[in-house]
Amino acid sequence: MTAEREVWRESLGVVFATSAYGISFGALAVASGLDVWQTCVLSLLMFTGGSQFAFVGVFTAGGLAALPSAIASAALLGVRNVAYGMRMSPIVGGGPARKAAAAHFTIDESTAVAISQSEPRLRRIGFWVTGIGIFVGWNITTLIGALVGDVLGDPKTWGLDAAAAAAFLALLWPRLRQRQAIAVGIAAAVVAAALTPLLMPGLPVLVAAVVAIVVGWFNWMGRPAPPVGEPSDAGPEVTA
């Protein structure tokens, strides 16, 4: 298999896996009170799964009163794409028009596939195939989920209310390769869980983000953790 075909295979695998839970977003959005067309517009224009789930989750919990918090939470989660854009700009190349088009497809998955390649040409292929593929697939499955959501009713009946948390965990877990990342995740999760009963929906996420920034700024526990399957400094690996 040529290197280019391997990149296509890897990209399409990510496309199918990521697009699948767009159905959950569509169903959750409709159940939260959004119309089918509003749900589809969110996927077309916002197109960043984490932010979309955050927006719908906060909006569902607090209604119109929580709309500012929902927007703030979604925007905060989307800030990471700015950093991705800085990393991807030299890879995408071209003029302002090309970079502006690439900005809409700069997400976790397209960035990850691109930077994992060894050559500039393969990186560009990985970025565009993954980004455009997920955009098309995500919008199709969002529409399907929204239409099915009208028929099925409350997504809790089918366990779809857990889809957002599962999707976040699936995106986060592969990134926990250093003690620093683990410390940030644990600190933010503890703070968010503790403040959820006390603050209006959306605010615990914002406070937890501040805690994550503080932990990351001081680089607490910054020494890399041993890869999975390798023994740590504390002693030999223990297998189950």
Side-chain angles (χ1 to χ4, degrees):
M1 180 178 295
T2 64
E4 184 171 331
R5 290 185 62 185
E6 180 64 25
V7 174
W8 272 85
R9 189 179 73 166
E10 179 181 344
S11 299
L12 292 178
V14 173
V15 167
F16 289 124
T18 304
S19 298
Y21 67 88
I23 295 176
S24 298
F25 170 73
L28 286 168
V30 168
S32 73
L34 297 180
D35 294 331
V36 172
W37 73 268
Q38 292 172 325
T39 301
C40 292
V41 167
L42 267 180
S43 283
L44 281 169
L45 300 182
M46 187 177 290
F47 184 52
T48 171
S51 295
Q52 292 178 233
F53 275 118
F55 179 89
V56 169
V58 176
F59 182 76
T60 301
L64 288 176
L67 187 58
S69 294
I71 295 173
S73 298
L76 182 64
L77 286 171
V79 166
R80 70 190 189 281
N81 291 345
V82 176
Y84 295 160
M86 296 172 63
R87 178 67 178 86
M88 294 306 302
S89 180
I91 294 176
V92 171
R98 184 174 184 177
K99 291 182 179 178
H104 198 54
F105 306 118
T106 303
I107 55 176
D108 298 282
E109 293 80 7
S110 62
T111 302
V113 172
I115 64 177
S116 67
Q117 309 307 318
S118 58
E119 301 176 12
R121 181 179 63 87
L122 299 179
R123 289 173 180 169
R124 285 191 291 271
I125 293 174
F127 171 80
W128 288 109
V129 172
T130 306
I132 295 176
I134 292 178
F135 178 77
V136 174
W138 181 265
N139 281 280
I140 291 174
T141 55
T142 293
L143 176 60
I144 294 173
L147 295 174
V148 171
D150 275 339
V151 175
L152 296 181
D154 189 354
K156 293 181 180 179
T157 305
W158 307 91
L160 292 177
D161 57 315
F168 277 126
L169 183 59
L171 290 173
L172 174 65
W173 189 260
R175 290 163 172 75
L176 299 181
R177 290 291 183 266
Q178 294 183 338
R179 289 187 176 90
Q180 173 69 14
I182 296 172
V184 169
I186 292 176
V190 169
V191 170
L195 295 180
T196 294
L198 305 176
L199 300 178
M200 67 178 292
L203 289 182
V205 176
L206 301 180
V207 176
V210 174
V211 173
I213 292 172
V214 171
V215 175
W217 181 268
F218 289 102
N219 196 33
W220 295 333
M221 302 181 69
R223 190 162 58 92
V228 176
E230 293 187 9
S232 64
D233 295 338
E237 179 185 1
V238 178
T239 58

